[in-house]
Amino acid sequence: MKRAKLTKNFIEAIREEGKFQDVEVQTLELWTGKRGKVFYFRKSHKFKQYRRALGKYPEYTREMAVKQCQVYTANLAQYGALDPVEEGKAKHDITIADAFAHYCKYKQPSKDFMNCWNKNLRQLEKRKISDITKADIKQLHAELSQHAPVAANRAITYLKAVINLAINDEIYEGHNPAAKIEMNRETPRVKFLMPEQAPEVIRVLNEMRKNPRARNGAEALLLMLYQGQRKGNVLAMEWSEIDSENVWTVPKEKAKARKDIISPLVREAIEILESRKGNKSRYVFPSAEDPDRPMQDCKKLWAHVKTICGISDLHIHDLRHTSATYQLRAGANIATVSDNLGHADIGITKRVYAHVLTDTRREALQNAAEALKGENKQP
């Protein structure tokens, strides 16, 4: 574990995944990784290790973390517990509601997460995790699967994440009953802009770039389309991630597959980025309210674009599908597209874009058939 004074400048300069101990307050640590930058309290007391997540930076400051470390240290000395009244409950009697509240404290659940939780998982909130069996979760999954197989999968995935965090942060001691549940087989939802739609969408977005209020969102959407990257990665894009060769490296901490994504920038993307230089923020697309934070979303703007272009059922994520589909149709091999998308392995790309691969294979077979009949000059 590395040691340093966890000042604001030091924390904001961290780009690597790791653990850092404060040199002045040795019970204070900062863990960086897929959960972002999170302060932790950690201390040995009477041959026992105590650890507790404190809060996520920057919402939770070093000053707040230091004060909480002092409270926990005093409680250990006087009571032998971090929270004298709640310690027994935290370890043995924690409910799903307790675990969910802890999750929301350190994460930012998506709208889909909250909708799924309210609709499908509220029924479990008052139950102790220790009283829930794997059979209970299997039965819940089966019941939900009767009407919505995909939603059933999401519900179990979210529940597993909530309980895992409680286990990892040591507020619950026990097993995760939602782990290793057999999920329903899903057919990927893949929609993309048709050849007659794409140019119009690009034209509308370029027009919106002239409006200062719409520019951020319009250029972010264009970058998603041109580079094929996820919305979250584009909105959180930092100037430090772009090198002198116009290659954008999405660090593994931000990547879904937990590996760096190397994304060579196309001319259209370079033009957008050149026009944004000098925005006085570490982020390419800073928030209009706070330049020290990235833009949070552009759903409303995308809905407006769809209305103008007469497009109905197309999500922002489908811009990524559009890029991948057009790459494959332009003749790129599946391995190249998989790397461009940052998929964990090529099998994911083959499964998601099977529709395009079928068309490409049919074209190859047709070309071969015509060559066999002497209808073209290619061998």
Side-chain angles (χ1 to χ4, degrees):
M1 181 178 294
K2 299 178 181 179
R3 302 183 72 230
K5 184 173 180 179
L6 301 178
T7 63
K8 178 180 179 181
N9 289 340
F10 178 82
I11 294 171
E12 292 189 348
I14 297 174
R15 296 291 181 270
E16 61 189 291
E17 185 173 332
K19 299 178 182 179
F20 304 84
Q21 182 184 40
D22 193 284
V23 293
E24 294 184 349
V25 183
Q26 296 185 10
T27 56
L28 176 61
E29 295 177 1
L30 180 76
W31 295 15
T32 62
K34 60 184 178 181
R35 292 173 60 190
K37 299 175 180 179
V38 180
F39 286 114
Y40 275 83
F41 168 85
R42 188 159 72 98
K43 181 177 175 60
S44 295
H45 179 74
K46 293 185 177 181
F47 308 104
K48 184 177 179 181
Q49 280 281 348
Y50 290 85
R51 187 185 75 193
R52 181 74 60 84
L54 301 176
K56 188 175 181 180
Y57 182 86
E59 293 84 3
Y60 201 87
T61 66
R62 178 182 183 273
E63 290 70 25
M64 295 165 65
V66 168
K67 288 181 180 179
Q68 188 59 56
C69 285
Q70 293 170 343
V71 170
Y72 282 154
T73 299
N75 284 346
L76 282 175
Q78 185 171 358
Y79 305 107
L82 298 183
D83 302 301
V85 177
E86 297 294 330
E87 186 70 14
K89 177 183 178 182
K91 295 295 183 181
H92 306 292
D93 298 329
I94 183 172
T95 65
I96 292 293
D98 295 326
F100 179 64
H102 178 78
Y103 185 91
C104 291
K105 185 177 179 181
Y106 300 108
K107 295 279 192 175
Q108 292 182 334
S110 65
K111 183 177 180 180
D112 179 69
F113 186 114
M114 294 304 300
N115 288 341
C116 180
W117 191 271
N118 290 328
K119 184 177 180 181
N120 299 320
L121 297 171
R122 287 280 182 198
Q123 57 185 291
L124 298 175
E125 280 195 326
K126 295 182 180 180
R127 295 188 61 180
K128 296 180 183 178
I129 301 175
S130 56
D131 291 341
I132 300 174
T133 66
K134 191 168 185 177
D136 293 332
I137 303 302
K138 284 183 176 180
Q139 181 178 348
L140 174 63
H141 184 253
E143 291 172 355
L144 295 175
S145 297
Q146 293 177 9
H147 306 289
V150 174
N153 287 354
R154 296 293 176 273
I156 304 307
T157 299
Y158 293 146
L159 180 62
K160 181 171 67 174
V162 166
I163 299 174
N164 272 342
L165 187 62
I167 294 172
N168 291 339
D169 286 352
E170 298 184 356
I171 67 167
Y172 169 66
E173 291 180 348
H175 73 290
N176 189 338
K180 298 182 179 179
I181 300 295
E182 185 176 351
M183 299 293 194
N184 301 312
R185 186 175 180 84
E186 296 183 26
T187 301
R189 175 197 183 281
V190 179
K191 293 195 174 185
F192 52 90
L193 290 169
M194 302 305 290
E196 65 274 13
Q197 295 173 324
E200 179 64 8
V201 167
I202 291 172
R203 185 194 67 78
V204 169
L205 288 173
N206 276 319
E207 280 295 315
M208 288 182 170
R209 293 176 65 187
K210 301 174 185 177
N211 181 341
R213 295 182 62 185
R215 182 187 174 191
N216 246 16
E219 293 185 341
L221 290 166
L222 282 169
L223 213 62
M224 294 173 210
L225 181 58
Y226 290 139
Q227 295 298 134
Q229 294 303 319
R230 292 182 173 87
K231 178 181 71 173
N233 291 339
V234 171
L235 297 185
M237 187 182 195
E238 300 182 34
W239 290 111
S240 61
E241 297 169 2
I242 305 164
D243 67 19
S244 59
E245 301 298 321
N246 286 320
V247 175
W248 172 27
T249 300
V250 180
K252 62 182 179 181
E253 294 81 9
K254 294 182 179 180
K256 185 176 180 180
R258 314 313 301 164
K259 66 176 184 179
D260 289 351
I261 302 173
I262 310 301
S263 184
L265 295 168
V266 300
R267 288 190 299 271
E268 292 78 3
I270 294 171
E271 183 274 318
I272 290 173
L273 295 175
E274 287 290 334
S275 73
R276 300 187 67 82
K277 284 185 176 178
N279 65 0
K280 298 181 181 180
S281 172
R282 61 187 271 203
Y283 297 105
V284 176
F285 300 102
S287 166
E289 293 77 25
D290 182 0
D292 291 331
R293 296 173 64 84
M295 181 171 59
Q296 295 301 301
D297 215 332
C298 46
K299 286 183 179 179
K300 290 184 179 179
L301 185 68
W302 176 240
H304 186 45
V305 171
K306 289 194 298 180
T307 300
I308 294 173
C309 297
I311 298 170
S312 54
D313 186 21
L314 206 72
H315 302 164
I316 288 180
H317 191 72
D318 294 324
L319 297 177
R320 174 173 164 87
H321 292 320
T322 299
S323 174
T325 299
Y326 280 66
Q327 287 178 58
L328 289 166
R329 286 182 171 176
N333 65 60
I334 189 69
T336 297
V337 176
S338 184
D339 286 341
N340 284 342
L341 295 174
H343 281 163
D345 63 72
I346 196 171
I348 296 173
T349 319
K350 288 181 177 179
R351 178 171 58 86
V352 175
Y353 298 100
H355 64 293
V356 186
L357 295 175
T358 299
D359 293 341
T360 303
R361 290 169 60 193
R362 180 181 290 110
E363 183 179 355
L365 288 168
Q366 186 63 51
N367 289 339
E370 292 173 2
L372 287 168
K373 294 189 299 180
E375 294 180 3
N376 63 49
K377 297 179 181 181
Q378 296 295 325

